[in-house]
Amino acid sequence: MKILAIDDQQLVLLPLKRRLSELGYDVETETDALKAKATFDTFKPDLVIVDINMPIISGIEIIRYIRGTKNSTTPIMVLSGNTDDNLIVESFDLGVEDYMKKPLSLDEVSARVKRLIGAVNKEQKAVSQNTIIQKRCVGVVIPCYNEEDRLLSKEFTDFVEKHSGYHLCFVNDGSKDNTLQVLNDLRRGREDYITVYDCEKNGGKAEAVRLGMLHMAEYTDLDYIGFLDADLSTDLTDFDDLVKTIETSDFKIVSGSRISRMGANIAKESAREIISLTINYIIRKILRMNFKDTQCGAKIMDKEVIKIAFNEPFITKWLFDVEIFMRMKKHFGAEKANSFICEQPLKRWVHADGSKLSMKDSAKIVFQLGHIAAHYKRKSVGKQNQNYNYVIESGKVNV
């Protein structure tokens, strides 16, 4: 039996095709809704699984094509994150047999497929683990410098195999050890979920994250893009919680916060905690925003702000997080930027041995903060002067 699955996000189709193929079905997938019509005509599937929200033409148009233009009775299942009641009713009125709402498990999808068209193999066969089909797709940039002995490869692979919709981009920041080889081994066989972006020269964490974010912004099927430290001091489950916040809100940036509180495992060295509190106080004064922790290495962003935050190189290697918020503030204005950014406490953060940021580096941060304050103030004044000169030259002055 043949199944045609249509969704504009490849990260959704990959685990779906793998599971249904394991069950013995002949599966074709299509990310282009226009091409899907031709595929339907030539492939002649026994079942169509279609998403609703797609560019160019929607899933509703695909359903109309099958039921109206082709006058076909082929069973249709909708698999969509769109939960609008009117749309669901319209889908059933057009003749779909089932409407599945994302997120849902592959086990449930499999059971619904068997109910509609029957099972290919009667005997029970081992299948891949029960992945959750998400309603959004996320890119995660992970900067790596000399991580050969610290990279927790299994944690990353286990996560992407269990959570659909994630694409990990490891940025090798000119490592001197075998980090690049470790990353290529990690990617092998998982090319659809894992990318390795190799920088020949070490440019520092800020530049590695910047290049990785801009690279992932080119992927059209990603809804959100973020970054995470390679040592997983913030684990992937906590990162997924940040994603859940941004997808259910109007925030453009959700930033993790390592605030010590009851019920959370936040482990810091005492000396580092004192320095961290001092630095955060200075940062709040510079930003004039009530941040508790700008420097947490876990952040997720809407794609529309990536160019604003990362288009230009940062002026510091370690405090680029502060610069991101400064750029947001300069672009949108203080009030709007405050409404766009959310700081979310983490459930877990553990200081990892071998951290690249030494106590000596921490002491230098105060001077770098002064550099940031002066740089962005100078840019702001320069922009004001430019606008003022334009007003004078154009004669647009009210006396």
Side-chain angles (χ1 to χ4, degrees), residues 8-9 11 136-141 165 167 212-226 243 246-247 250-254 299-311 328 331-332 340:
D8 62 306
Q9 294 181 308
L11 288 173
R136 42 45 177 183
C137 291
V138 182
V140 187
V141 174
H167 189 124
M213 294 291 284
L214 291 175
H215 177 70
M216 293 304 282
E218 297 174 4
Y219 285 70
T220 57
D221 63 340
L222 297 179
D223 301 302
Y224 309 104
I225 306 172
V243 175
I246 199 169
E247 72 171 325
D250 294 325
F251 296 123
K252 302 300 182 186
I253 298 177
V254 178
K299 292 178 175 62
I300 186 71
M301 305 180 184
D302 193 291
K303 278 185 74 174
E304 70 178 74
V305 302
I306 299 299
K307 289 290 179 70
I308 298 168
F310 294 97
N311 219 28
M328 292 290 290
H331 184 87
F332 293 107
F340 277 173

Side-chain angles (χ1 to χ4, degrees), residues 115-155:
R115 179 182 62 82
L116 271 181
I117 61 174
V120 176
N121 300 311
K122 300 299 181 183
E123 68 276 10
Q124 291 290 329
K125 285 191 172 183
V127 294
S128 54
Q129 63 178 315
N130 185 26
T131 302
I132 302 299
I133 298 291
Q134 302 288 356
K135 64 180 181 180
R136 42 45 177 183
C137 291
V138 182
V140 187
V141 174
I142 302 135
C144 302
Y145 178 68
N146 292 349
E147 299 286 353
E148 175 188 3
D149 298 323
R150 295 202 311 156
L151 195 67
L152 303 172
S153 300
K154 191 174 187 304
E155 279 79 353

